[in-house]
Amino acid sequence: KVLNVYASHIDAVERDSVLVHELAHHAFEERVGRPADPIDEGLAELLPDWLLFSQAAGPEQHISTYPEYEARCGRAARAGRAPTLPWLCSLDYWGFRDDRYDGLGFASSWALMKTLVESRDPEISQRLQPLFTRLAGGQSVRDALEDVYGLEALEPRWQERMRSWSDWEPNWG
């Protein structure tokens, strides 16, 4: 495989981020062997922050930030349109790039992987390898998430994280 990154129009930091992002896609493809965009895209968006800007030993110890994605997820949550796992799992390559979603696929995928990687909750933490194994075995993203985490347990935690990025709401009383 050849990775060609045309980077004359971006600075070195952005170039390195794009390179790590694309290499993460390649590593994911090697591990899983097939597309699984809701996981792959989020992981490729999450890893550059840790690899390039953190001193943490592993991504689990790093708290990743991505203000644009946090804002996009927060806007969706504030408008009462926070994505659901079935919706995210239904997106394919082109669904992530659909202008009607205004980047919500990428943002919510990043938020999902942030939840899975950074969680200290024993029901969530340290379960990425079983997820990857199920995906490599041919399970759909939705079925693999269900088997490893349970959608009813995972979705509220993921959506709560997205709600936490919405603007504050006044509480009168």
Side-chain angles (χ1 to χ4, degrees), residues 84-144:
T84 65
L85 284 172
W87 174 81
L88 181 62
C89 292
S90 75
L91 296 180
D92 61 7
Y93 179 88
W94 293 111
F96 272 88
R97 288 148 184 85
D98 189 325
D99 290 341
R100 293 174 296 175
Y101 301 135
D102 188 28
L104 186 57
F106 288 105
S108 59
S109 175
W110 173 82
L112 175 62
M113 291 312 298
K114 180 174 172 57
T115 301
L116 298 181
V117 170
E118 297 175 3
S119 178
R120 303 295 185 259
D121 184 332
E123 292 185 30
I124 294 177
S125 67
Q126 306 296 316
R127 295 189 184 188
L128 285 179
Q129 288 303 325
L131 176 65
F132 295 162
T133 298
R134 283 172 173 77
L135 292 170
Q139 277 192 312
S140 69
V141 173
R142 183 180 176 157
D143 289 346

Side-chain angles (χ1 to χ4, degrees), residues 13 15-18 20 47-55:
V13 171
R15 179 206 58 223
D16 292 349
S17 292
V18 168
V20 170
L47 288 178
D49 190 51
W50 166 62
L51 289 171
L52 297 173
F53 308 112
S54 174
Q55 298 299 313

